[in-house]
Amino acid sequence: QKEVEQDPGPLSVPEGAIVSLNCTYSNSAFQYFMWYRQYSRKGPELLMYTYSSGNKEDGRFTAQVDKSSKYISLFIRDSQPSDSATYLCAMNPGRRALTFGSGTRLQVQP
Amino acid sequence: GAVVSQHPSWVICKSGTSVKIECRSLDFQATTMFWYRQFPKQSLMLMATSNEGSKATYEQGVEKDKFLINHASLTLSTLTVTSAHPEDSSFYICSARGESRSGNTIYFGEGSWLTVV
């Protein structure tokens, strides 16, 4: 079993929809959780960074962490075609390398 | 925000030659940098962890004599692919840990496309 599980998609939604992206993990030592957006042929771009359980909002993005269920989510409101990319969840127990999910490909249709 | 610069963005080299990729943290000091490799439509695979002033720690299955990593300063780490072969063609991405109020934010470079012909 992988330490971090993420549905690879692709996920196709119409413009303006609310997108829900999710990851589950098995290592209870993970304490820091991040979401990255990666456009084709580019390096990952940090979107959200969370430490504790609960919600964190930044513009159209909301990151949610439920440590008791080992489940994290990223919500995108009012999705735009420019949001079309691969979204990677990542986590680590502290000052170490990140463990990534496989990434979910999102396509927002105009 | 923090910026990590990677150079070159893409490189084509002949089989048997060596290629160096640079990773720089532009506005913060990075005591730790990470090198990843990514194949098309796959997630990032950690190759090695590089700590400033010490030897890199390689992941299992990564040949340290083939992928030479040097982290000579707090803002620069280099990856040299030695005696490159076509199977080394891939997208190589570095990341650096930047200190923030949360203490553990990792930023990525733009990546370097290597094609070995």
Side-chain angles (χ1 to χ4, degrees), chain A residues 11-45:
Chain A
L11 178 63
S12 183
V13 301
E15 183 175 356
I18 296 175
V19 176
S20 173
L21 304 165
N22 312 293
C23 288
T24 59
Y25 62 96
S26 57
N27 188 346
S28 58
F30 289 141
Q31 296 293 322
Y32 298 88
F33 305 91
M34 296 157 220
W35 285 95
Y36 289 87
R37 176 174 62 194
Q38 185 176 25
Y39 291 110
S40 181
R41 305 176 75 85
K42 295 287 188 181
E45 171 193 8

Side-chain angles (χ1 to χ4, degrees), chain A residues 77-96:
Chain A
R77 291 185 298 281
D78 187 25
S79 56
Q80 304 295 310
S82 58
D83 295 328
S84 299
T86 296
Y87 290 80
L88 298 153
C89 65
M91 52 199 78
N92 68 5
R95 303 178 69 78
R96 293 178 61 184

Side-chain angles (χ1 to χ4, degrees), chain B residues 23-39:
Chain B
C23 179
R24 294 180 184 273
S25 56
L26 296 185
D27 56 359
F28 65 96
Q29 292 186 329
T31 54
T32 304
M33 290 185 173
F34 307 94
W35 286 95
Y36 292 84
R37 186 173 181 176
Q38 187 177 33
F39 292 105

